[in-house]
Amino acid sequence: MEADYVIVGAGSAGCAVAYRLAEAGKSVLVIEHGGTDAGPFIQMPAALSYPMNMKRYDWGFRSEPEPHLNGRRLACPRGKVIGGSSSINGMVYVRGHAMDYDHWAESGADGWAYADVLPYFKRMEAWDGNGHGGDPAWRGTDGPLHVTRGPRGNPLFSAFVEAGRQAGYQTTCDYNGQKQEGFGPMEQTVHKGQRWSAANAYLKPALKRDNCDLVRGLVERVVMEEGRAVAVALADGTVVRARREVILAASSINSPKILMLSGIGPGAHLAEHGIDVVADRAGVGANLQDHLELYIQMAASQPVTLFKHWNLVSKAMIGAQWLFTGTGLGASNQFESAAFIRSRAGIPYPDIQYHFLPIAVRYDGRAAAEGHGFQAHVGPMRSPSRGRVTLRSPNPSDDPVIRFNYMSTEQDWEEFRTCIRLTREIFAQDAFAPFVKHEIQPGADVQSDDELDGFIREHAESAYHPCGTCKMGRLDDPFSVVDPEGRVIGVDALRVVDSSVFPRITNGNLNGPSIMTGEKMADHILDRHLPRSNDVPWVHPNWETAQR
């Protein structure tokens, strides 16, 4: 059990790193606690609510009681399966905004500005605009990760975009191209009607090579010898040795947990659990961030929503059509229109995201009692609230303690109230007049700041985008955990390459940025890089004085 590189975690970033290292001729062992992704629950896009609610595929993490959300414990699904969270997520593909990455570079992640990361987004993509237009010059066409768009056949998808235009907002043909800001089609990691996870895109092709293999097991710790990572110890007693490096890609929850179990983290916290300190790094587990969102739900006056399929017979027919032909409603995640807008003048780039869905339903699969309806998922992009992941015990089988500390600043509350009021304005446009019956949630009687705050406390949900717990930064920053090449500060031959290294959360869904991070970290490991891009992204010319 030995290889040049041992990768912990077969998720979004880990699969990409494995693929690129194996492609370069290095020997690679990937360790994954979860099992196979075979079967329709994962591979059928429309079945997305199933795998993230199944213990077989999900670590099943929950937050500690959130003090600002009525003490609720929020779900924090993480994929326990090959492909990691890319095998249980909503398949929405968002690169993030150019200014997100420029902020990374400014905050200490040198070499991670937008000009540096755009070539990696292009390298990883096999983009298919699917006849809906787009920004081909900004996209990649021959990478491993297939990105496409749903058919957008339901009239509500175009009504959402038209309503945004009527409300005075920009439209965009490609939010992953030059212009993120505006209303337009949403993209998904789906290929020929199948979920195109990191396992399908990267890991399975890598495993076809003689120099890449998969090991099943629960990681207990990284084995350190004289300040150097030399192996990974598994719960069954197996030791997997690394001739060159150990690479953590175990998620923003499990990567800091494994570091702490290995003696790398806040010294006093490790000492509390009887763990010998190898490197005292205060930032391990800190800087935890996430996106929160609300569902603004409307009852429909026409039976044009997906609710007509919310019965066993229709679901069986959709499943059968997908199983035999790979087509039909089962072949899309149903997130087919989107928007990124700014909440007020003076903000240079979008700080609110919308997913539009032509049914009123929750992530756990429960439909609204009203029947026919539709909803916009909305939430702020850059909350100043920060949480932390800590050890519950020195037992590797115990879940870590996850405290997001959601909604801990006044800015959070102001932004969420704005999200609700702006969404109501969009649904009040003429484009929705033929479809709107009344507001289901929050309800027309919920209007004042106090009433909205009560609704937020009770109904805000995680968008499942945790990140930031092994922050990438400069060596002189005491809260940096890794340097800009992913190397853990204070030890040798150990890297972290997943979303835990994000200095700050990016706009939108994190699967795309996580895969990009794996792609770029692989080049750092191989001591190579792609040339920087000269492309200039679009910024609203009147952002200083206008909200739209």
Side-chain angles (χ1 to χ4, degrees):
M1 286 292 235
E2 184 175 274
D4 294 336
Y5 296 94
V6 176
I7 300 171
V8 178
S12 299
C15 290
V17 174
Y19 178 95
R20 295 301 178 188
L21 294 183
E23 179 185 58
K26 311 300 181 185
S27 67
V28 179
L29 282 172
V30 183
I31 303 172
E32 172 56 48
H33 186 43
T36 177
D37 62 347
F41 285 125
I42 282 181
Q43 299 301 333
M44 183 168 74
L48 63 90
S49 68
Y50 291 99
M52 71 172 67
N53 290 292
M54 295 173 70
K55 289 182 179 179
R56 176 178 175 183
Y57 301 125
D58 173 28
W59 283 87
F61 298 132
R62 298 183 73 80
S63 77
E64 295 302 294
E66 289 290 337
H68 308 288
L69 295 175
N70 288 346
R72 289 189 292 135
R73 299 186 68 195
L74 272 61
C76 180
R78 294 291 86 194
K80 187 177 66 176
V81 57
I82 62 165
S85 295
S86 75
S87 289
I88 69 168
N89 70 357
M91 291 155 282
V92 173
Y93 181 74
V94 183
R95 287 175 167 179
H97 194 279
M99 289 188 183
D100 290 326
Y101 301 102
D102 292 343
H103 178 272
W104 284 14
E106 290 159 10
S107 65
D110 300 319
W112 288 81
Y114 188 62
D116 301 301
V117 303
L118 179 57
Y120 288 94
F121 279 117
K122 289 183 176 181
R123 183 175 83 176
M124 72 195 225
E125 288 176 353
W127 179 73
D128 171 17
N130 205 23
H132 294 300
D135 243 347
W138 287 70
R139 309 304 298 269
T141 57
D142 55 0
L145 187 72
H146 285 277
V147 178
T148 188
R149 299 177 177 186
R152 305 182 78 220
N154 191 299
L156 292 167
F157 289 125
S158 54
F160 182 69
V161 175
E162 178 60 16
R165 189 193 66 78
Q166 290 172 350
Y169 293 101
Q170 297 285 319
T171 58
T172 178
C173 65
D174 187 354
Y175 63 70
N176 285 315
Q178 184 176 26
K179 180 183 180 182
Q180 186 190 72
E181 186 168 336
F183 284 67
M186 189 162 248
E187 299 198 327
Q188 52 189 257
T189 48
V190 172
H191 180 50
K192 295 182 178 177
Q194 181 181 0
R195 176 193 290 271
W196 206 246
S197 65
N200 286 331
Y202 289 97
L203 184 63
K204 292 171 186 176
L207 292 174
K208 291 178 181 176
R209 297 178 180 272
D210 293 338
N211 57 338
C212 183
D213 210 346
L214 184 66
V215 178
R216 289 283 307 280
L218 175 67
V219 171
E220 286 197 331
R221 62 190 173 91
V222 178
V223 179
M224 309 295 297
E225 292 180 0
E226 298 178 355
R228 179 183 178 86
V230 297
V232 175
L234 305 186
D236 65 0
T238 303
V239 176
V240 185
R241 301 195 69 82
R243 288 187 288 266
R244 295 194 179 184
E245 291 186 11
V246 173
I247 299 163
L248 294 185
S251 85
S252 55
I253 307 300
N254 278 326
S255 287
K257 173 187 168 182
I258 293 169
L259 285 179
M260 288 185 279
L261 290 172
S262 308
I264 301 160
H269 177 61
L270 301 185
E272 285 173 17
H273 292 288
I275 297 170
D276 292 337
V277 179
V278 174
D280 187 350
R281 300 305 303 175
V284 175
N287 194 45
L288 175 62
Q289 301 160 64
D290 191 15
H291 289 139
L292 275 181
E293 65 179 11
L294 290 166
Y295 312 155
I296 309 302
Q297 296 181 327
M298 310 297 289
S301 58
Q302 295 187 43
V304 294
T305 78
L306 296 177
F307 184 74
K308 59 178 170 284
H309 301 295
W310 213 253
N311 59 77
L312 286 176
V313 173
S314 195
K315 285 181 180 181
M317 291 176 68
I318 290 167
Q321 182 182 6
W322 177 83
L323 203 58
F324 292 112
T325 69
T327 63
L329 287 172
S332 170
N333 60 5
Q334 306 306 323
F335 290 118
E336 298 180 13
S337 282
F340 290 91
I341 64 173
R342 292 174 299 113
S343 62
R344 56 182 170 83
I347 294 175
Y349 72 105
D351 60 338
I352 293 174
Q353 179 189 18
Y354 285 104
H355 301 64
F356 180 78
L357 193 62
I359 186 172
V361 69
R362 292 164 40 128
Y363 271 138
D364 61 10
R366 281 188 276 175
E370 297 271 352
H372 278 285
F374 48 90
Q375 67 194 32
H377 298 212
V378 63
M381 290 291 94
R382 295 185 288 281
S383 167
S385 292
R386 295 292 181 271
R388 181 180 279 274
V389 173
T390 54
L391 293 178
R392 192 173 301 276
S393 80
N395 184 345
S397 297
D398 287 347
D399 288 351
V401 176
I402 304 168
R403 288 190 176 91
F404 283 101
N405 200 29
Y406 292 122
M407 304 298 291
S408 60
T409 75
E410 180 54 35
Q411 180 183 324
D412 290 311
W413 296 95
E414 291 171 359
E415 289 178 344
F416 255 110
R417 290 179 214 126
T418 299
C419 285
I420 295 170
R421 287 171 172 144
L422 292 176
T423 307
R424 284 171 160 168
E425 183 191 8
I426 291 161
F427 281 145
Q429 299 300 311
D430 287 346
F432 273 115
F435 305 112
V436 167
K437 188 176 177 184
H438 61 260
E439 184 177 302
I440 301 172
Q441 181 177 292
D445 57 334
V446 180
Q447 294 292 339
S448 70
D449 284 2
D450 284 349
E451 289 166 342
L452 292 177
D453 288 352
F455 173 75
I456 294 161
R457 276 188 205 95
E458 195 57 42
H459 293 279
E461 295 285 350
S462 171
Y464 309 145
H465 301 161
C467 64
T469 48
C470 301
K471 188 181 80 161
M472 175 167 54
R474 299 189 179 101
L475 299 183
D476 59 2
D477 179 350
F479 280 92
S480 294
V481 176
V482 302
D483 72 7
E485 295 192 3
R487 296 174 294 207
V488 176
I489 298 167
V491 299
D492 294 328
L494 179 61
R495 294 191 205 232
V496 183
V497 300
D498 57 25
S499 64
S500 59
V501 308
F502 294 8
R504 188 173 75 179
I505 197 165
T506 55
N507 264 16
N509 310 62
L510 298 194
N511 182 232
S514 299
I515 293 173
M516 179 279 295
T517 299
E519 283 267 11
K520 191 170 186 297
M521 287 297 191
D523 270 13
H524 289 305
I525 294 164
L526 295 166
D527 196 24
R528 66 188 190 190
H529 68 275
L530 296 176
R532 300 183 90 221
S533 169
N534 294 317
D535 294 326
V536 179
W538 186 92
V539 176
H540 197 296
N542 301 321
W543 68 266
E544 292 176 288
T545 57
Q547 183 255 333
R548 61 189 85 172

